[in-house]
Amino acid sequence: MGWRAGAVLTVSLGLAACAGDVPPPTAELGAASQAVLAAEQAGAPRFAPVELQSARDKLAAADTAMREDKRTEARRLAEQARADAELAAARSQRALTQEAAGVVRQQANPPQAAAPAAPSTPGYGSSGGTAGTLGTLPSGSSYAAPSTVPPTTLAPGGAGWGGGYSNPEIRP
């Protein structure tokens, strides 16, 4: 059993030596700093202030961890700061795009005054308070009314077939 304990001790010391040799996360800190600047330029102070502040706080904590020689913690915080800054930039770009789309939509469809109601013209299928005549078509039509259908007057008010039906060829 002595050799097993020696092997475990050797492995443990080897891992501890590797943990002490963690390279400084200068690339991660630089990337996080650049991401924060990009988010600020993208409008994050206006559109994503919470995410931007989180990124700034984590970047400051990563700098502090780096000064205290806590390289693993500094790397983790720098990566989180970069992710928060990228989220802030993405939300800002989305909000700016939505604003621009709203402006374009408004310019493409300006508010219009209410369109006047179409006048009710007597004729085939007319309704709306005036008496219409079946068997005739609205003016401007290229189709002639059939000659075998006698004109029939609708009752005033568009009441249809009930009440005011009359045919000039049929006498009561």
Side-chain angles (χ1 to χ4, degrees), residues 26 41 51 58 62 67 82 91 98 109 112 123 125 128 159 172:
T26 53
Q41 292 173 352
E51 292 84 359
K58 288 177 183 175
R67 279 189 299 253
R82 188 180 112 237
R91 287 197 174 165
Q98 287 177 337
N109 299 320
Q112 299 174 355

Side-chain angles (χ1 to χ4, degrees), residues 60-163:
D63 285 337
T64 301
M66 186 64 185
R67 279 189 299 253
E68 294 173 357
D69 202 32
K70 298 178 181 176
R71 295 177 179 181
T72 304
E73 182 179 348
R75 179 182 317 278
R76 180 183 53 81
L77 288 167
E79 289 170 351
Q80 290 176 358
R82 188 180 112 237
D84 288 349
E86 288 174 353
L87 175 62
R91 287 197 174 165
S92 298
Q93 290 171 350
R94 178 178 177 243
L96 286 170
T97 301
Q98 287 177 337
E99 274 187 0
V103 169
V104 168
R105 212 175 294 120
Q106 187 177 15
Q107 289 175 350
N109 299 320
Q112 299 174 355
S120 177
T121 57
Y124 187 74
S126 173
S127 64
T130 60
T133 305
L134 291 175
T136 61
L137 294 173
S139 61
S141 175
S142 61
Y143 297 102
S147 61
T148 58
V149 177
T152 304
T153 306
L154 289 175
W161 296 106

